Amino acid sequence: SINVDTESSISPEDLRLAEKAWSSKVTRPMPKVFSAPILPKKGEKNFLVTSALPYVNNVPHLGNIIGCVLSADVFARYCRLRNWNVLYIGGTDEFGTATETKALEEKLTPQQICDKYFVIHKEVYEWFNISFDHFGRTTTPQQKLITQEFFLDVHKNNFTSTASVEQLHCKACDRFLADRFVEGICPDCKFDDARGDQCDGCGHLINAVELIKPRCKICGNMPVVEKSDQIFLELPKIEPVLRDWIEKVSPQWSHNARTITNTWLKEGLKPRCITRDLKWGTPVPLSGFEKKVFYVWFDAPIGYCSITACYTDEWRQWWQPSKDTPILYYEFMAKDNVPFHSVMFPATLLAINKNYQMVTHIMATEYLNYEDGKFSKSRGVGVFGTDARNTGISADIFRFYLLYVRPESQDSSFSWLDLATKNNTELLNNIGNFVNRALVFAEKFFDGIIPAMNPNVEEFTLLALLTKELHAFNSALEKGKLRDGIKYILNVSRHGNQYMQVQKPWVLVKGSNEEKTRAGTVVGMSCNVACLIAVMIQPYMPSTSTIMRQQMNAPDDVIVLANEINILLQPGHKIGKPSPIFTKIEQNTVDSLKKQFAGSGKPASATNGGKEGNIKGAKNTP
Ligand code: MET
């Protein structure tokens, strides 16, 4: 399954460069110490990284986790590993009808729901070792202030309009009903339990006012169609500037982000309703609209700004950067979030016209399935964030596997058997075996001291091969191709294993003096390759990287990744105590985990793109 092939042939020039890099005296920079508040710095590479803000009302499952927070985490960690300046912002998205629905369900207030689930999200991400610089939420005074300010700028610049919209109103409850508060008969297939936003019978998106015999989900009475004024974002008016901008930056987006955006553009942009007759949300600061709130997708991306503002008063340094500190802004998300980040949010910022930081890289994943089907909370299928810690499998193994199967260019699935296989082959047999043998040889044959190295063509060939892998690794990660990155690390380890197998230091060490010296070179080189692996794997498996580096007693400065390979562990360096790094996952563990998370066995309900009961498609009606 490993098909990233960088090897091919090593030219004399490759050898010469590898030799030069290896023997050049470099003073490695110390890893940057990040202290809050992290701000963009002139003359440095500045990265702003965000992951989509998960709706607060649910416990995230592994698919949600790899789609946004974990992917963004690996990228942010990679930036830190390169000693670049990076700020990683995340948080929960707390407004919208999803929260209100949950509140009704759990008989709590929306705010209580947010407070409860915010903690659940935070703890899940802590367990997965997600290294947010700040993890915030959208129910803050900052969010209200900034959303209202942004809106008023858009409004002042004439990029809004108002129109009367038909909605279902429940007299008994005295409220307009959001899509998810209505059920009825599907106008298409006549299925009698269709939801207000989508029919579970035929899968079609529905306009709630078209439901036949609608009923209020809260009280069961029949709502009536009433008109109400709403505010629209005039996308057609912004479209020309938006198109220019998209054309300029989208070549560096993930392929699906480009395609989804182009589909939207092809259909032509329509004015989009950005207000709702709800109570739970950011109030609209305009006379006549005081009782309305912003549609959750208008204010959710503004959460990135407001959460930064909760982190530092200097938040505008990131969001309205001066010309001399350009910022690369990477947004990670699952594909259903793309239009809101590639069209809606940028359109808002362009309409404001105050040089707000626009996204430079949209990195969207496809969906992760669970075994042969979909994750489903209601049916208890799949691993949810809160379950993961009770499996006996460490966060690093989950991280590794989720990144190994990251749905980077097509849907993929999480499978326990596959997780065990990857653990047992790639981690245990490949990396674990190599790193452990290298260190044990150093301990056993050289008293744990890195021997003198006199590299010859064998070593320079190895170094040239590794350099190719490292270059490919760096270029993949800079493009957000996190899954490929893992494969280059495994290649490095494979080269190391092959080298050790061919050189046989355990034989050499028993031979002539010359052979003993040669054994020293081989063991020294191997320990250095092991250290390179410990560094490269850091964004993916941070705890494992620490354990490896402890066993090597590696100096702190190794944890800055360069683009060339030079000596990480110097001759004379005393390593720590080697011990096995990974453990085998047995078949009976696989069997029992599979059973534990298989759910009730009831059939899946609707085709909903892998996200349970939560469609955020391209519907233009409120
Ligand atoms: N809450 C949205 C979701 O979970 C993402 C919002 S990103 C600003 O899909």
Side-chain angles (χ1 to χ4, degrees):
S1 66
I2 300 295
N3 47 17
V4 182
D5 190 8
T6 37
E7 189 156 343
S8 66
S9 56
I10 295 298
S11 69
E13 177 65 359
D14 294 335
L15 282 182
R16 199 186 61 77
L17 289 174
E19 180 169 358
K20 192 172 151 219
W22 180 257
S23 33
S24 62
K25 273 261 163 297
V26 282
T27 34
R28 228 185 301 282
M30 286 305 280
K32 199 195 286 291
V33 181
F34 288 94
S35 51
I38 300 162
L39 295 172
K41 288 206 189 89
K42 207 171 142 178
E44 290 195 23
K45 262 185 134 175
N46 295 299
F47 288 83
L48 176 60
V49 178
T50 59
S51 67
L53 309 174
Y55 284 124
V56 78
N57 64 307
N58 267 325
V59 177
H61 57 62
L62 295 181
N64 303 139
I65 291 171
I66 184 61
C68 54
V69 297
L70 179 53
S71 292
D73 181 61
V74 173
F75 185 75
R77 285 177 180 275
Y78 172 74
C79 291
R80 296 186 196 114
L81 193 65
R82 298 297 304 269
N83 245 4
W84 296 332
N85 196 35
V86 53
L87 178 69
Y88 177 20
I89 290 292
T92 44
D93 183 1
E94 307 196 342
F95 289 128
T97 45
T99 306
E100 287 186 286
T101 317
K102 195 73 172 184
L104 284 171
E105 219 177 279
E106 296 199 11
K107 300 196 173 32
L108 293 172
T109 64
Q111 189 62 57
Q112 286 169 328
I113 286 291
C114 294
D115 294 347
K116 172 180 166 189
Y117 282 90
F118 170 76
V119 174
I120 295 178
H121 277 265
K122 197 167 161 41
E123 286 176 357
V124 165
Y125 304 141
E126 270 164 15
W127 188 80
F128 277 95
N129 239 314
I130 308 296
S131 62
F132 297 112
D133 292 300
H134 187 68
F135 185 75
R137 43 200 305 195
T138 55
T139 50
T140 61
Q142 286 86 343
Q143 174 77 3
K144 182 173 162 195
L145 206 76
I146 297 172
T147 303
Q148 293 188 341
E149 179 196 317
F150 279 19
F151 167 74
L152 289 173
D153 280 334
V154 173
H155 183 65
K156 195 183 78 223
N157 292 346
N158 287 318
F159 285 105
T160 58
S161 61
T162 57
S164 163
V165 172
E166 290 191 331
Q167 284 180 93
L168 291 171
H169 185 263
C170 177
K171 288 233 155 54
C173 294
D174 185 27
R175 62 154 95 207
F176 282 99
L177 299 180
D179 293 350
R180 32 174 93 222
F181 287 104
V182 224
E183 290 165 345
I185 300 171
C186 172
D188 290 321
C189 76
K190 310 291 182 281
F191 177 67
D192 69 0
D193 218 7
R195 289 178 286 137
D197 55 353
Q198 194 187 26
C199 174
D200 282 352
C202 61
H204 279 135
L205 297 183
I206 287 179
N207 194 349
V209 292
E210 287 162 11
L211 280 174
I212 304 167
K213 285 205 184 143
R215 46 182 195 274
C216 169
K217 242 180 117 170
I218 305 157
C219 70
N221 287 315
M222 188 191 283
V224 291
V225 176
E226 271 181 29
K227 289 193 164 184
S228 157
D229 279 348
Q230 303 294 350
I231 300 175
F232 287 72
L233 180 63
E234 275 300 320
L235 288 176
K237 229 174 139 181
I238 319 170
E239 192 168 335
V241 228
L242 184 69
R243 273 183 190 274
D244 285 352
W245 171 78
I246 289 174
E247 204 165 301
K248 210 174 77 212
V249 298
S250 65
Q252 54 205 12
W253 297 356
S254 66
H255 182 260
N256 55 359
R258 268 200 316 271
T259 324
I260 293 167
T261 305
N262 285 335
T263 310
W264 263 55
L265 292 179
K266 217 180 268 155
E267 284 169 10
L269 299 179
K270 298 179 199 70
R272 186 152 179 127
C273 185
I274 55 167
T275 54
R276 293 289 188 274
D277 284 292
L278 298 173
K279 294 190 183 70
W280 187 241
T282 305
V284 179
L286 208 60
S287 84
F289 293 88
E290 292 93 342
K291 287 212 166 125
K292 300 174 201 275
V293 299
F294 286 109
Y295 167 46
V296 63
W297 266 114
F298 178 74
D299 85 62
I302 299 174
Y304 300 136
C305 310
S306 79
I307 293 171
T308 316
C310 291
Y311 168 70
T312 170
D313 290 343
E314 298 295 319
W315 67 279
R316 288 184 194 271
Q317 288 195 32
W318 284 105
W319 286 98
Q320 287 176 299
S322 69
K323 283 230 155 39
D324 59 4
T325 51
I327 286 161
L328 292 168
Y329 175 17
Y330 283 67
E331 285 175 347
F332 288 83
M333 69 198 71
K335 66 177 166 192
D336 58 333
N337 278 183
V338 165
F340 303 99
H341 290 83
S342 67
V343 177
M344 286 286 288
F345 187 40
T348 305
L349 296 179
L350 288 169
I352 296 172
N353 196 22
K354 285 187 174 168
N355 288 319
Y356 275 102
Q357 176 65 46
M358 310 275 285
V359 63
T360 56
H361 295 71
I362 297 184
M363 297 293 156
T365 54
E366 301 289 313
Y367 292 127
L368 181 76
N369 292 314
Y370 179 76
E371 297 287 352
D372 302 323
K374 292 186 164 105
F375 286 86
S376 164
K377 186 74 197 165
S378 55
R379 288 177 298 117
V381 176
V383 183
F384 286 75
T386 39
D387 306 324
R389 68 189 98 164
N390 302 324
T391 56
I393 310 246
S394 72
D396 264 17
I397 302 296
F398 274 110
R399 289 176 62 110
F400 170 82
Y401 180 65
L402 288 171
L403 284 146
Y404 193 102
V405 295
R406 181 174 189 255
E408 212 152 272
S409 47
Q410 62 194 58
D411 291 359
S412 63
S413 14
F414 178 98
S415 131
W416 282 113
L417 180 60
D418 191 40
L419 177 144
T421 310
K422 296 297 174 320
N423 176 77
N424 297 348
T425 54
E426 304 294 11
L427 292 179
L428 185 65
N429 291 349
N430 181 8
I431 293 185
N433 189 38
F434 172 71
V435 172
N436 189 251
R437 281 174 93 196
L439 299 184
V440 165
F441 288 151
E443 181 186 52
K444 215 162 107 189
F445 304 142
F446 300 96
D447 294 329
I449 296 191
I450 302 292
M453 291 173 272
N454 301 303
N456 64 25
V457 69
E458 314 272 357
E459 281 69 39
F460 292 130
T461 306
L462 171 68
L463 286 168
L465 287 170
L466 299 183
T467 304
K468 289 201 168 184
E469 303 295 350
L470 179 62
H471 288 171
F473 177 80
N474 281 335
S475 111
L477 285 206
E478 282 173 37
K479 294 192 194 83
K481 296 209 173 266
L482 312 174
R483 199 170 87 159
D484 287 352
I486 263 191
K487 300 189 171 178
Y488 296 118
I489 303 175
L490 296 171
N491 286 352
V492 167
S493 181
R494 249 184 290 280
H495 289 309
N497 267 318
Q498 262 163 30
Y499 167 76
M500 208 149 61
Q501 269 324 101
V502 172
Q503 301 302 324
K504 298 190 175 42
W506 59 93
V507 176
L508 291 170
V509 81
K510 295 195 187 107
S512 65
N513 276 347
E514 203 178 308
E515 285 169 324
K516 283 196 181 110
T517 315
R518 187 72 202 126
T521 300
V522 175
V523 170
M525 286 305 286
S526 300
C527 288
N528 268 279
V529 177
C531 189
L532 178 65
I533 293 170
V535 176
M536 289 170 81
I537 214 166
Q538 199 274 350
Y540 297 90
M541 306 183 80
S543 308
T544 305
S545 169
T546 304
I547 291 169
M548 288 180 177
R549 284 178 288 118
Q550 274 164 358
Q551 294 190 14
M552 296 166 194
N553 186 29
D556 284 345
D557 68 357
V558 301
I559 204 72
V560 177
L561 185 68
N563 204 27
E564 306 304 328
I565 299 178
N566 40 51
I567 303 184
L568 294 169
L569 301 176
Q570 298 285 349
H573 170 83
K574 177 112 174 88
I575 65 165
K577 179 91 195 112
S579 71
I581 299 156
F582 301 108
T583 43
K584 186 162 182 210
I585 300 177
E586 301 289 350
Q587 182 63 42
N588 58 9
T589 309
V590 172
D591 295 341
S592 77
L593 286 167
K594 237 176 130 166
K595 210 162 136 207
Q596 187 182 343
F597 295 105
S600 60
K602 277 189 244 132
S605 53
T607 47
N608 59 11
K611 277 208 161 182
E612 191 193 25
N614 195 1
I615 306 296
K616 296 169 298 268
K619 254 178 55 165
N620 263 340
T621 47

